[in-house]
Amino acid sequence: MTINMNSKSLGRSALITYGSETGNAQDFADELGRLTQRLRFVTRVCPLNAVELSSLSNYSVVIIAVSTTGQGDLPINARIFWKNLLRKRLPSTYLKDMLSTTFGLGDSSYPKFNWAARKIQKRLLQLGANEFYPRGEADEQHLEGLDASFVPWSTDLRQQLLSKFPLVGGLSPIPDEVLLDPKWTLSLMDGGTKDNTGFGEDHIGTALSPNDPISLQRLTMTPEHLSGNHRSYENPNREIQNLTVILEKNQRLTPSEHWQDVRHLVFSSALPASYEPGDVLTIYPKNFPDDVNHLISTMHWTDVADRPIQCTQVQPLMGSNDKAPPLSGLQVYQPTTLRILLTEHLDFTAIPRRSFFSTIAHFTKDPMHKERLLEFTRPEYIDELYDYTTRPRRSILEVLQEFESVHIPWQWAINVIPELRGRQFSIASGGQLKHDAEDKTRFELLVAIVKYKTVIKKVREGVCTRYLAALPPGAQLPVTLQKGGLGNTRKEAKHPVIMIGPGTGVAPMRSLLWERLQWADHVSSRSHVSNGNGDFDRGNKTGENVLFFGCRKRDADYFFRDEWAKIMARNSLRVFTAFSRDQVRKIYVQDIIKEQADLVFRLLYHCGGIVYVCGSSGKMPKGVRASLVDVFQISGGMDQAAAEDYIEVMEKEGRYKQETW
């Protein structure tokens, strides 16, 4: 049974708006949208950039879900909204009729944890908005993930909405056992009797045939896709640029016997593109043919998999600025096939969210399966959900194979399976490495291929790194170039820098070193002399460069070691290394930083140096910060409180920058 929102609900309206970098905030916004729909609010879900400030007070309630990126920044799809919100001419009563609440997504290993949500909330209150429910915050570092905070917050939010906006006229909330109408659906085109997909028979019959092995054609974009750039629709912002690149090099850097496969990837683009250290390249992966076939077989979609279909809008959009369709690069009524959608647009290897279980419970007739699926959606079973999904990294495909009674109608695929989103990688090239001999734009990446065994002894592979590992040289693919959060400029050339980048975290550090070398080449040696404090030593053309690098073994994963000598010959550079497994006692970058306490203190305290911390999130950034606190105590004679205060001053001055993943 389905229920469509009707005119009885028009007096109750909810705006659920989000700022999302990787898709998590958007997923939460979608879930909140379903919550308000069930409470019979006419609901609009859209990115913050699609919201006009003048419309905020028109809704009964506004709920904002936003993640924090970079150095306390807002995601790109929220920055236009934020800029408009900061307009000085807005009076303090501008939003006096607005009822709002916010939910932030962050990572507590970053100094500016959940700043985006806090900034938005503070500004809304300054403009007179009324907070009807306290702000919620989620932490990626929580043992049970973001849901650990979101589930109880959204459960209480529901009660608060019912209390503030009671249903009248005998109406009650739409129960969970009732399936809400989708906003979009898939349908056959012209009965699917002919090839009218626009790709031609070869594309469907050959490039996308079920038994086709992995090949250059399967893993890269066809000319038809490249000409239109299948991801351009989602990137109207000037901070990002859509490009088509060619893979020039795909080299494994670690020995074959090493536990991890790390690749050095080099791409080129005929189009000019400008980027700085810390900027990121977004890669849009594809699912592998075998996995696509398994899902098609499991769902009994074989008969329709290669027939021409289209995406059709079921419910009207509420906002004139709302973007359509529901999947990036998929145009409404544009012909495609289900196999293409599953290959290029839908992420069925993702770990399923709570909302996935509540939806697929409608598509089984097995009462035991239905009850078990619904259990995973209940707040009191959040621990069991974590143990079943996140802990073993169980995928959507595996869930569907285990609950074999579930048969999702293919028309619902885009509403049930999440979008296959691009993955961001920090660019490893800078300076003279930005262009090749033919003056094409060059991008280099350092990528660790994700492959491991879970607690249930099953092998897991990252959807994007698996895709990249299989790409042969010559492959063409669409990418997005985007500004990162490190914010490097040539004005910083005179400052010393301390770069802390263990593992693949050395990628943006390498970019910065080559960039600073290029800056140094533009500095006349006669224009700068030593100031006695270390900003410019004799022969130095930039401030001192210090790199702290850590890995397991010198002979296995000491990336770019041969390049450092080349840079040393032309500019100041000192490299300190920590190889954790080359001796009995494990040594990490944190330990080496404390060993060089006098040097680090001098460069940071006396010379106004800048710290960059890049690499894996979690323990490393917190450990590095703690070691710097120790440095100021050891060499600066500060107590712990004063040392921590000084690091906070560095953060405010933009001299402590972190980019972790």
Side-chain angles (χ1 to χ4, degrees):
M1 177 182 180
T2 63
I3 286 183
N4 193 17
M5 305 306 293
N6 54 49
S7 58
K8 292 182 180 179
S9 307
L10 294 180
R12 302 158 62 85
S13 59
L15 170 64
I16 317 296
T17 183
Y18 58 87
S20 186
E21 192 77 17
T22 61
N24 287 327
Q26 182 177 350
D27 289 342
F28 282 152
D30 288 336
E31 191 163 339
L32 291 169
R34 289 185 288 270
L35 183 153
T36 54
Q37 273 189 284
R38 291 193 178 278
L39 298 183
R40 299 187 182 273
F41 285 85
V42 175
T43 300
R44 176 191 179 195
V45 180
C46 66
L48 279 161
N49 282 352
V51 177
E52 296 288 343
L53 293 188
S54 58
S55 71
L56 288 173
S57 298
N58 296 338
Y59 297 91
S60 304
V61 62
V62 177
I63 304 173
I64 299 172
V66 62
S67 61
T68 298
T69 67
Q71 314 307 310
D73 302 320
L74 274 77
I76 282 181
N77 62 358
R79 291 177 189 172
I80 294 174
F81 173 84
W82 178 240
K83 182 179 179 181
N84 292 336
L85 203 62
L86 291 177
R87 292 201 301 251
K88 292 182 179 180
R89 67 174 182 270
L90 295 176
S92 60
T93 57
Y94 184 74
L95 297 177
K96 62 182 178 63
D97 296 322
M98 175 186 177
L99 281 179
S100 68
T101 187
T102 53
F103 188 83
L105 292 78
D107 184 332
S108 59
S109 70
Y110 277 78
K112 297 181 178 179
F113 173 62
N114 263 317
W115 270 42
R118 297 175 189 181
K119 289 192 295 187
I120 287 179
Q121 179 202 36
K122 181 179 180 180
R123 182 56 177 161
L124 291 176
L125 295 177
Q126 288 175 347
L127 296 176
N130 302 284
E131 186 177 58
F132 76 94
Y133 181 64
R135 182 187 72 243
E137 294 185 348
D139 183 6
E140 288 188 4
Q141 296 301 320
H142 194 286
L143 291 177
E144 295 177 358
L146 299 171
D147 272 343
S149 300
F150 177 75
V151 171
W153 183 86
S154 59
T155 301
D156 292 343
L157 171 66
R158 182 182 185 276
Q159 298 305 316
Q160 187 72 12
L161 288 170
L162 278 174
S163 175
K164 274 198 169 296
F165 302 94
L167 289 162
V168 296
L171 286 175
S172 59
I174 301 172
D176 290 341
E177 57 266 23
V178 175
L179 184 61
L180 296 172
D181 272 352
K183 293 182 179 179
W184 306 91
T185 189
L186 299 173
S187 59
L188 291 171
M189 297 187 69
D190 297 333
T193 57
K194 61 180 181 178
D195 170 30
N196 57 357
T197 64
F199 300 130
E201 293 182 2
D202 289 343
H203 188 87
I204 293 178
T206 303
L208 289 169
S209 64
N211 299 316
D212 187 29
I214 297 172
S215 66
L216 173 62
Q217 186 179 23
R218 286 302 306 268
L219 293 174
T220 61
M221 299 303 294
T222 61
E224 291 84 353
H225 279 112
L226 290 172
S227 63
N229 198 330
H230 80 302
R231 301 286 171 166
S232 60
Y233 129 79
E234 68 177 15
N235 297 327
N237 196 289
R238 293 180 181 178
E239 295 185 63
I240 51 187
Q241 182 179 359
N242 298 292
L243 299 165
T244 296
V245 297
I246 297 174
L247 178 62
E248 305 289 351
K249 177 181 177 182
N250 188 346
Q251 178 188 4
R252 175 167 179 160
L253 297 183
T254 51
S256 58
E257 64 274 12
H258 189 59
W259 72 280
Q260 188 172 49
D261 178 357
V262 178
R263 300 295 179 97
H264 181 201
L265 298 151
V266 180
F267 300 94
S268 67
S269 170
L271 292 178
S274 175
Y275 62 89
E276 306 297 334
D279 289 354
V280 297
L281 204 66
T282 301
I283 305 291
Y284 300 97
K286 289 187 178 185
N287 289 309
F288 276 57
D290 285 347
D291 296 332
V292 173
N293 289 336
H294 287 154
L295 180 60
I296 289 173
S297 175
T298 300
M299 290 293 99
H300 305 290
W301 291 342
T302 304
D303 290 344
V304 75
D306 299 298
R307 296 174 69 182
I309 61 173
Q310 63 184 354
C311 178
T312 305
Q313 183 179 323
V314 177
Q315 299 181 29
L317 298 173
M318 290 183 64
S320 59
N321 291 331
D322 291 357
K323 295 296 183 183
L327 300 176
S328 304
L330 177 65
Q331 300 304 314
V332 180
Y333 305 114
Q334 174 183 319
T336 185
T337 69
L338 187 59
R339 191 181 301 278
I340 291 174
L341 290 180
L342 295 174
T343 301
E344 301 176 5
H345 295 281
L346 298 176
D347 192 1
F348 55 85
T349 64
I351 299 172
R353 295 186 51 77
R354 288 171 63 247
S355 57
F356 173 79
F357 291 96
S358 64
T359 302
I360 66 172
H362 293 286
F363 302 126
T364 177
K365 296 180 180 179
D366 186 317
M368 292 184 62
H369 279 182
K370 187 180 188 72
E371 176 59 26
R372 182 57 174 159
L373 291 169
L374 290 176
E375 281 182 356
F376 287 133
T377 70
R378 295 169 187 153
E380 61 268 30
Y381 286 94
I382 188 172
D383 291 344
E384 286 197 31
L385 175 64
Y386 179 84
D387 289 339
Y388 180 70
T389 58
T390 305
R391 184 175 175 82
R393 316 300 292 179
R394 186 175 268 108
S395 70
I396 286 173
L397 175 57
E398 289 173 320
V399 171
L400 293 174
Q401 289 171 333
E402 291 181 12
F403 289 87
E404 69 276 2
S405 68
V406 173
H407 298 296
I408 303 169
W410 63 267
Q411 295 90 338
W412 278 72
I414 59 175
N415 297 289
V416 180
I417 305 174
E419 180 175 358
L420 180 57
R421 296 186 173 100
R423 270 57 168 181
Q424 296 180 341
F425 297 94
S426 189
I427 299 173
S429 47
Q432 69 185 49
L433 302 183
K434 290 182 178 180
H435 297 89
D436 62 17
E438 300 176 359
D439 205 33
K440 293 180 181 178
T441 306
R442 179 184 175 102
F443 305 95
E444 299 188 33
L445 303 180
L446 182 66
V447 177
I449 306 303
V450 178
K451 187 174 183 179
Y452 59 95
K453 282 189 177 181
T454 69
V455 293
I456 57 175
K457 307 302 181 184
K458 284 197 173 183
V459 175
R460 295 285 185 259
E461 296 183 76
V463 63
C464 192
T465 59
R466 178 189 180 196
Y467 167 74
L468 286 173
L471 283 179
Q476 296 185 64
L477 58 157
V479 299
T480 299
L481 174 62
Q482 179 176 326
K483 285 293 179 185
L486 294 183
N488 300 281
T489 67
R490 187 174 292 191
K491 294 179 182 178
E492 297 177 348
K494 65 183 180 67
H495 292 278
V497 294
I498 293 178
M499 296 160 283
I500 304 162
T504 56
V506 78
M509 306 295 91
R510 177 183 185 247
S511 174
L512 180 59
L513 281 169
W514 281 104
E515 194 79 0
R516 285 173 67 84
L517 179 58
Q518 187 174 66
W519 294 342
D521 289 341
H522 289 285
V523 175
S524 169
S525 59
R526 294 182 179 180
S527 299
H528 301 276
V529 295
S530 173
N531 61 9
N533 289 327
D535 278 358
F536 285 92
D537 293 332
R538 181 167 298 181
N540 282 359
K541 299 177 183 179
T542 65
E544 291 186 54
N545 302 289
V546 176
L547 171 65
F548 289 94
F549 174 78
C551 63
R552 290 199 172 195
K553 293 179 175 292
R554 176 187 293 271
D555 295 331
D557 48 355
Y558 185 6
F559 307 124
F560 306 122
R561 59 188 294 182
D562 296 335
E563 291 188 12
W564 307 145
K566 297 178 183 178
I567 295 176
M568 289 176 188
R570 297 170 58 187
N571 198 29
S572 164
L573 173 63
R574 276 184 274 188
V575 179
F576 299 99
T577 54
F579 305 109
S580 63
R581 302 300 195 275
D582 276 350
Q583 60 284 312
V584 176
R585 184 176 70 90
K586 293 180 181 179
I587 300 175
Y588 299 103
V589 287
Q590 299 94 303
D591 304 310
I592 304 301
I593 289 170
K594 285 190 284 187
E595 288 181 7
Q596 301 298 325
D598 289 344
L599 170 66
V600 172
F601 178 76
R602 176 176 65 84
L603 294 181
L604 296 184
Y605 189 80
H606 293 297
C607 306
I610 303 170
V611 171
Y612 297 95
V613 182
C614 296
S616 176
S617 64
K619 294 182 181 179
M620 185 276 292
K622 293 180 180 179
V624 165
R625 188 183 180 92
S627 69
L628 290 175
V629 169
D630 290 341
V631 163
F632 287 114
Q633 292 179 266
I634 295 169
S635 297
M638 302 179 183
D639 59 27
Q640 183 168 342
E644 291 175 348
D645 288 344
Y646 187 77
I647 291 180
E648 288 183 8
V649 170
M650 289 179 59
E651 291 168 0
K652 292 177 181 178
E653 295 175 347
R655 295 196 295 119
Y656 191 102
K657 303 181 182 184
Q658 178 178 321
E659 193 69 48
T660 54
W661 48 86

